[in-house]
Structures are given as structure tokens and as C-alpha cells.
Amino acid sequence: MPNHDILDLQPAHIRELRNRYERAMADHGYDSLLIASGAAPYRYRDDQAYVFQGFGPFLHWTGLAGQEHSWLLVRPGQKPVLWLYQPVDFWHANPVMAEEPWLEVVDVRSRQQAGAPELDSPGRLAIIGDPLVLEGVPGDHNPAALVAAVEETRVHKTPYEIECLAHANRIALAGHRAAREAFLAGDSEFGISLAYQQATGQREVEAPYHSIIGLNEHAGTLHYQYYDLQPPRRPRSLLIDAGVRYRGYCSDITRTTAGPDEPRFTALVHGLEKLQLRLCEMVSPGVDYVDIHRKAHLGIAALLSASGLVFGLADEAMVEQGITRAFFPHGIGHFLGIQVHDVAGKPTPSPEDAPFLRLTRTLEAGMVVTIEPGLYFIPSLLEPLLNGPEAQYLNRALIDELKSCGGIRIEDNVVVTAAGARNLTRECE
Ligand SMILES: [Mn+2]
């Protein structure tokens, strides 16, 4: 879908938000709601600020991820008012606002001051945002029940949001292709990160999260955060988990590539990819997301058996004894939207067998989730098994051989539709 078609969906998105917000405010007895974009705090005893990414509800309305000190007022029956902070400042430039259809359904005003605007007769007023910018502002600050209701308005994406997420996938995939080529050409983690930024046209600080780019053993650190300047002597594997923000909306995609002379690791990557595609096919309205997580464990067990990494145990027993959890320690995925781990995924706590699962809801049309199984060789998780009674089932020699490939994760972004699912990542591969 070209960009202008996405933009045409903006007015309907704002109309839908007005309905959802007005209902939430009525339910909790508020006449006005002021939303703060926020501001990056300065580092202690320094004149440099932290990297800024705006408050979720502000982005939900505006898509403006980099707009500090700005405010949006929602009142039932009235056009929302957006105050944009545009000081006269010879040190910095003010962000340039693109002419877009949503600006016709919002009352946009420019402002020189950073603090909250004064409101006439707001009635019962709630203000939500980073407490650091709310100090001294009159009104109820972040009332918990209203904040929860506002977060719930983000669970079912509007058609505009889904197209933004689809576009964020398209851009990110160009980066993933460039990253893979750079790896196969022998580049370092740093070089691969430059290739990704070049292909996506996105600076590192604008990315929805710090791109994870790990070669060899580094692929086995779930949130590996450094970039080696030199490539390893023998590049065996690349794991890249990287996204893009488009008008506030995030993609969150992971791909793993085996080095050229790695038949066993290549087979494992293929096996995990097949499992990942099967799990994506489970996405459908009425499905409990926790069941997808549990199916992933059974699939990992089957893969561990088929590859010879574990032997002599039935799949179910492998899961029950915690062996699959040592190879796949994280959750199967999460909600995705304005935040990479989007809000409201856990009205109930994670089950005991899935402590890191970030989403425990039954799927409904309009939700957007990630599906990201992994299989890793993480020494601190495997050592206790290799030194315990489970050692009899483990192929230590094969684990040793594959250890320096680090691990595998494959992650797509999937929309739940009335008919089943739409895979935003695969549709543009
Ligand atoms: Mn993810």
C-alpha cells in the first residue's frame, strides 16, 4: 500500500480514538483529559539529555515520536487540541510538520512555553504522562483506572495503525536483507549495523529499540547490546533483531542466518523456521496466546529430538523436565504497536511455566502480536543440565559443536483478523 493510502486512513483513526477515549472518560467520570508528550531528562551533572521517545498515548493520536513538551487535550464532543512546542531557539530547529489529513481533524496550536497549557473550564480534569513533566500541573495525575482504560484503547488496532505497522515491516525487511548480505560478505557486527541503518534510512536513536546484532556466541545473548568492530575469524551465524518506527508504529523482526559451512546449524535454523511458520498459523480469534507458547515448547522438543541434541525422552517429558526451557527461555511474543512491547498484554499474570511471557490474553481481531520462538546455546542455562541427572539425555558433543553458533530466533509480526491472521512480515518478503 503506497503512503498516500495509509494517510487517507488517518481521519477515521482519529474519529475512532475520539469514540474510545470519550467512552473511557465517561466510565471514569472525567470531562477533560490532557496528555503530555513528555521530555527527555538531562543526565546528572551534565548538559546532555537522554534520548527522547514520546509517551504512548500522545503517539497514539499524533504519531509524533520526537515531539517534546507538547500536549493534547481530549474533550467529549470537541475537536482535540494539540499544542506543539515550537520555541524561538537559535540552538535547535523545530520539527517540520508534514501536511497530512489528520491535521484537519485536530486543532493544532503552536506554543513557546514548555509547561502545560492553561485550560478554560476543563471540569473534572485528568492529566496523563511522565510524572516528571506533570509536577505542579492542576488536575488528577495518572489516575490508575483511567490509565488502564486508555491503554485498553490500544489493544485493537485501527486500519490506519495496521497499515503503519505493515509499512514499518516493509522498511525493516530491506534492512534485514542488507544485514544478511553484509554478514555473508564477511562484515563485522558494527558493519552490519551500518548496513541496516543505510537500508532503512533510520538513525540508531530513532529505532524503536536498540538493534540486537550478534555473530557467533553473541547470538546466544538474548539482548546482546554491543557491536564488535572486527568480524570473527570464522563467521558461523548472524542473529539480528531489529525494527523500524513509521509514524510512531514499530516493527520488531528477527532473522537468523547460518554461515556458509554450517550444515548442522543450517538444518536447525530451517527446523525452527518451519516451527515458527506453524505457530504463526495458529494465530486466530479465540485462541489463547498462552497455548501458542506451550505449542512452541512441544515444537522445540521435537526439534531437539530430530537434531539429536536430546535423545531418549518423549517431547512432553522434555517440556515437563524443563529441558526445552533451557534452550528457549523467553516468551513466544507480545503485543506490538506504538511500543515494541505494547501495553495491556497481561491483565492476568504469566503462568508459572512461562514466567517471561508478556501476553496472556485470548486473541481477538485487530490485535497485533509477534511470534518469535528461539533455540539457544546459553552456557549458564545448559551447564546445570549437563551437570545434573538430565545429562544422560543430552548430546554434549553436539552442544559443544553448536555452542559457538550462539542461537536462533525467528520473529514475525502478525495481525489477528476476523478470518485468521495476516503476517505483515512474510507478506513483503
Ligand atoms: Mn519481539
Side-chain angles (χ1 to χ4, degrees), residues 123-147:
R124 190 162 174 234
L125 169 68
I127 308 185
I128 61 172
D130 184 339
L132 283 177
V133 299
L134 301 192
E135 240 170 84
V137 181
D140 290 356
H141 290 190
N142 293 316
L146 181 68
V147 168

Side-chain angles (χ1 to χ4, degrees), residues 209 241 252-254 333-334 340-341 358 370 372 409 411:
Y209 57 96
D241 181 342
D252 178 10
I253 301 170
T254 311
H334 48 83
V340 66
H341 300 147
R358 292 185 169 102
T370 67
E372 49 180 308
R409 179 163 65 256
E411 175 178 28

Side-chain angles (χ1 to χ4, degrees), residues 231-384:
R233 216 160 21 88
R234 177 183 166 198
R236 301 191 64 187
S237 62
L238 162 68
L239 186 154
I240 170 166
D241 181 342
V244 157
R245 217 190 249 288
Y246 174 74
R247 283 185 163 68
Y249 290 88
C250 307
S251 50
D252 178 10
I253 301 170
T254 311
R255 291 292 181 260
T256 306
T257 305
D261 302 312
E262 299 293 341
R264 282 179 185 278
F265 189 64
T266 301
L268 215 50
V269 173
H270 285 159
L272 192 79
E273 177 147 32
K274 272 206 205 139
L275 169 63
Q276 193 263 358
L277 289 170
R278 282 208 310 279
L279 297 169
C280 288
E281 276 167 21
M282 282 182 73
V283 172
S284 197
V287 171
D288 182 351
Y289 192 73
V290 178
D291 285 345
I292 303 181
H293 178 82
R294 296 204 171 112
K295 268 286 184 324
H297 272 277
L298 285 170
I300 300 278
L303 190 54
L304 290 171
S305 278
S307 60
L309 281 160
V310 180
F311 50 84
L313 266 185
D315 296 348
E316 290 77 8
M318 223 187 284
V319 175
E320 268 158 38
Q321 296 191 24
I323 293 177
T324 53
R325 251 173 80 182
F327 287 95
F328 170 45
H330 57 77
I332 191 61
H334 48 83
F335 274 155
L336 179 71
I338 277 163
Q339 282 159 238
V340 66
H341 300 147
D342 216 8
V343 290
K346 259 171 53 162
T348 53
S350 310
E352 224 169 276
D353 60 338
F356 300 118
L357 191 59
R358 292 185 169 102
L359 172 55
T360 56
R361 294 176 66 146
T362 296
L363 297 179
E364 296 165 13
M367 292 176 169
V368 178
V369 301
T370 67
I371 297 291
E372 49 180 308
L375 197 168
Y376 312 88
F377 301 94
I378 302 174
S380 63
L381 298 181
L382 291 178
E383 281 310 321

